[in-house]
Amino acid sequence: MYSRLLFLTLGTFAVGTDSFVIAGILPEISDSLDVSISTAGLLITVFAFTYAILSPIVAATTAHWPRKRLLLAGLLILAIGNALTAVLPTFGLVLASRAVAGLGAAMFTPTASTTAAALAPPEQRGRALAIVMAGLSGATALGAPIGTVIGSQVNWQATLWFVAVLSVLGAVGIAVQMPDVPSMPPVNLRKRMAPLKDARVGFTLLTTVLVFTGLYTNYSFVAESYDRATDGNGTILAVLLFVWGAGATVGNLGAGRLTDKIPGKRIIAVAIIVAGIDFALMPLSNRYLGTAIVAIFVWGICGWASLVPLQHRLLTISPAHGTLTIGLNAAATYLAVSASGLTGAAGIRLVGVHNLSLFGLGFIVLGLISSGIASRLIKKGEQTPEEAPATTPAMTKS
């Protein structure tokens, strides 16, 4: 199981690197394509927006595809999208190529999560989900910095080739190692979209949107909000971002193990509450480097510790529609990331850049309330008739 999960993780590492690395090479892209920095930033927005919008659509329309074929197609399209970004000569074409890469990511990531859950025995599903999601969190700590260094030492096109190579390597590993995973039987679109009517699914997805909006509202302006601790030094900021990524990986993997042992609602609640306390103290902790390191590490741990149990909860609620609900959760995450630039700018105007975490805290608190409502609905045992028999005892902890 672990050797197979490794290549799924490599695929999510490629997706995560593609998501985060563009920000590190944006000035070089701006100069090369002769556009402003703000215009070049649309490359990030188009990728995230395409990913967010297409994840549930792809999940719903390809539910009957063989999982292995969908995984391979997603990674190969991701590779093609990055190769096109590297070679196309004009900004408009490059922008379109980011949408192609976003389509590949939308095809791969939700499928990788549900495939990991299918490959694992019931008592190890949380761990399997965490291993695959570690690719995304690991990309923030390693993939994006490595890609940024490649861009600075060679050129920005080399960074995109780096992502394309990662994608191809993941596809080769899946082609060789991955067994055939059964697909869902063909059903009409109305039945396929049935989970959208479930309030438990709705409040779980709302939790993801609110919590990650709060977390990324501050992340989008981390250079400015932590400038007192870094004294404007880019190297120190890079160290802080590495610490954040390391915390994210620790939180993700730790939550995966815990999800297999204790109720997921406890993990979600503790992670959100601790993140909220961390954000409440951040206007003080972001003044000095020592306290900033602690604050940003806790931020990384707690932010990503909620992701796996939220996915596990969705699989528990609607096991027959797992790919769709995981796709919706991916969409919720990336919609939050896409919106964070706007919410961050609004927060700066209202409370100032060094107090921005307090603005993000409001979203985090609302996310905690939403998660509590979802937990109460799950406890009441609300189930749609066609899903009740599919729920397994091993998955009732979330």
Side-chain angles (χ1 to χ4, degrees):
M1 180 185 75
Y2 289 106
S3 64
R4 294 162 180 168
L5 293 179
L6 174 64
F7 291 106
L8 293 177
T9 305
L10 180 58
T12 56
F13 183 79
V15 170
T17 301
D18 204 11
S19 301
F20 296 110
V21 78
I22 295 295
I25 57 175
L26 212 53
E28 291 82 0
I29 295 176
S30 171
D31 291 340
S32 175
L33 298 177
D34 195 25
V35 295
S36 68
I37 281 284
S38 58
T39 300
L42 291 174
L43 298 175
I44 300 172
T45 303
V46 165
F47 179 91
F49 187 74
T50 304
Y51 187 127
I53 294 300
L54 292 185
S55 287
I57 295 173
V58 168
T61 56
T62 62
H64 61 287
W65 284 26
R67 301 295 89 186
K68 185 173 180 178
R69 182 192 303 173
L70 188 56
L71 290 166
L72 291 173
L75 284 180
L76 292 177
I77 291 173
L78 182 70
I80 291 169
N82 278 276
L84 289 173
T85 303
V87 301
L88 290 172
T90 65
F91 180 74
L93 293 173
V94 168
L95 198 63
S97 73
R98 299 308 298 154
V100 174
L103 169 62
M107 294 172 70
F108 180 81
T109 307
T111 310
S113 292
T114 51
T115 301
L119 290 173
E123 68 277 6
Q124 294 185 20
R125 283 197 179 104
R127 190 177 307 178
L129 286 169
I131 290 171
V132 172
M133 287 297 100
L136 292 179
S137 57
T140 65
L142 294 175
I146 291 171
T148 302
V149 169
I150 291 172
S152 64
Q153 297 299 313
V154 186
N155 54 48
W156 67 266
Q157 290 91 342
T159 299
L160 280 302
W161 285 114
F162 168 63
V163 178
V165 169
L166 288 176
S167 304
V168 171
L169 289 175
V172 171
I174 289 170
V176 173
Q177 286 280 344
M178 186 66 62
D180 291 327
V181 179
S183 59
M184 298 301 297
V187 295
N188 63 46
L189 189 60
R190 183 182 63 81
K191 288 186 177 180
R192 205 172 284 155
M193 303 299 286
L196 295 178
K197 301 176 182 178
D198 193 328
R200 299 167 301 170
V201 171
F203 278 105
T204 300
L205 295 174
L206 182 60
T207 301
T208 299
V209 170
L210 290 169
V211 170
F212 277 83
T213 296
L215 295 171
Y216 275 91
T217 288
N218 209 42
Y219 186 87
S220 297
F221 296 91
V222 66
E224 293 83 357
S225 61
Y226 276 82
D227 60 359
R228 295 178 296 184
T230 65
D231 199 26
N233 187 308
T235 301
I236 297 176
L237 177 62
V239 170
L240 286 179
L241 293 179
F242 173 80
V243 170
W244 185 86
T249 304
V250 170
N252 179 72
L253 293 174
R257 287 182 173 272
L258 289 173
T259 300
D260 290 326
K261 298 177 181 178
I262 63 176
K265 63 181 181 182
R266 295 182 188 173
I267 303 170
I268 296 168
V270 170
I272 296 175
I273 290 170
V274 175
I277 294 171
D278 188 43
F279 269 49
L281 297 175
M282 210 169 279
L284 299 176
S285 60
N286 64 16
R287 294 183 179 184
Y288 311 104
L289 183 58
T291 53
I293 290 173
V294 174
I296 211 163
F297 186 66
V298 172
W299 174 11
I301 289 176
C302 294
W304 284 80
S306 62
L307 186 58
V308 168
L310 283 168
Q311 287 186 323
H312 196 278
R313 173 181 285 179
L314 289 169
L315 289 172
T316 302
I317 295 169
S318 184
H321 301 87
T323 303
L324 173 63
T325 54
I326 294 297
L328 288 167
N329 201 58
T333 303
Y334 271 80
L335 283 173
V337 173
S338 299
S340 62
L342 297 175
T343 56
I348 290 172
R349 288 195 296 270
L350 288 172
V351 298
V353 69
H354 297 125
N355 297 319
L356 185 56
S357 62
L358 300 180
F359 189 74
L361 176 61
F363 291 99
I364 293 171
V365 171
L366 291 174
L368 180 64
I369 295 170
S370 177
S371 179
I373 294 172
S375 295
R376 283 195 292 273
L377 291 174
I378 292 168
K379 189 174 181 180
K380 288 180 181 178
E382 293 183 3
Q383 297 174 317
T384 59
E386 66 268 27
E387 288 172 359
T391 306
T392 62
M395 299 182 70
T396 57
K397 295 184 297 181
S398 291

